[in-house]
Amino acid sequence: MLTWEELENKCRNCYRCSLGQTRTNLVFGVGNKQSDILFVGEGPGYYEDMQGEPFVGAAGKLLDKMLASINLDRTQVYIANVVKCRPPQNRDPLPDEQKACLDYLRIQFLLIKPKIIVCLGRIAAQAIISPDFRITKSRGIWFNKKGIDIIATYHPSALLRDESKKRPAWEDLKSIKKKYEEVRNLQ
Ligand code: URA
């Protein structure tokens, strides 16, 4: 099993897919490596690529508010993405790019050992829950894989584009808060 340092070095030197050639910075992940809860987005955008940190642009500001609404902040959770390098023009990461990068995310899962994973949007849900996952149909539903409770909700960018998604996203956040309190109380 790799250490955090070994994993991050591997990612920093990764050219498994072509995104490695166009990245400015690797966006490895941030937060509490002992957290019970892990949030997974899609992939870095322009600002994330510039700063080497996930969710620092407009979607990130909203993610911070979503976390605050359930009494959490970035120091208490871990935040990562399905792909760690920016897809050009912010297009969806291609299946091969996701496949190349998912091994790294899986090692992050093994190192963090979260009790809860929150998939932010369709790409994360399809990569982590099921390839045919439909976000409108199955967001807000809890799944369990290898003892980890997993849920998907709308990606903050989708909430910025479509106000009508905010209410269901709030329902998901309340469910996430409840589950988080449950797993914390079991310790
Ligand atoms: N959107 C994502 O999915 N991840 C980020 O890090 C930023 C925006």
Side-chain angles (χ1 to χ4, degrees):
M1 176 70 146
L2 298 178
T3 63
W4 277 106
E5 202 185 342
E6 287 164 344
L7 178 63
E8 189 159 349
N9 278 337
K10 237 184 202 301
C11 293
R12 235 170 251 299
N13 296 305
C14 178
Y15 296 94
R16 280 182 163 195
C17 80
S18 62
L19 300 184
Q21 262 123 43
T22 51
R23 70 174 168 241
T24 312
N25 284 297
L26 172 79
V27 179
F28 181 69
V30 280
N32 181 343
K33 291 171 175 160
Q34 271 98 43
S35 183
D36 288 324
I37 184 162
L38 171 61
F39 288 78
V40 183
E42 177 179 323
Y46 174 82
Y47 293 102
E48 289 77 21
D49 176 61
M50 285 294 155
Q51 295 181 35
E53 194 171 318
F55 284 100
V56 289
K61 303 261 173 322
L62 181 53
L63 178 60
D64 286 340
K65 285 190 193 163
M66 291 162 74
L67 292 174
S69 77
I70 53 170
N71 302 327
L72 290 173
D73 64 34
R74 276 179 190 245
T75 65
Q76 293 166 293
V77 307
Y78 196 84
I79 305 174
N81 280 307
V82 171
V83 295
K84 295 184 173 5
C85 300
R86 183 191 181 206
Q89 279 84 46
N90 295 350
R91 61 158 170 75
D92 287 352
L94 302 173
D96 279 357
E97 294 162 352
Q98 294 185 38
K99 197 160 170 271
C101 213
L102 269 172
D103 283 343
Y104 300 136
L105 186 63
R106 284 197 196 100
I107 298 172
Q108 286 176 307
F109 291 173
L110 293 173
L111 287 166
I112 298 168
K113 301 189 206 69
K115 306 259 179 359
I116 299 170
I117 296 175
V118 180
C119 303
L120 298 167
R122 173 181 61 88
I123 297 282
Q126 290 183 342
I128 296 166
I129 302 172
S130 162
D132 56 7
F133 193 93
R134 287 176 51 208
I135 195 83
T136 320
K137 183 164 156 261
S138 302
R139 50 141 279 278
I141 299 173
W142 286 99
F143 298 82
N144 193 285
K145 280 192 166 191
K146 299 184 184 165
I148 305 176
D149 288 312
I150 310 179
I151 194 172
T153 189
Y154 288 121
H155 191 286
S157 302
L159 301 180
L160 289 172
R161 282 193 302 267
D162 181 356
E163 285 271 319
S164 73
K165 293 191 165 79
K166 285 198 171 161
R167 180 163 288 277
W170 170 236
E171 296 303 321
D172 300 342
L173 284 167
K174 283 193 288 189
S175 174
I176 292 162
K177 179 170 192 271
K178 188 161 166 266
K179 180 74 78 181
Y180 183 68
E181 282 165 358
E182 267 168 36
V183 304
R184 306 272 305 172
N185 285 335
L186 286 177
Q187 283 171 3

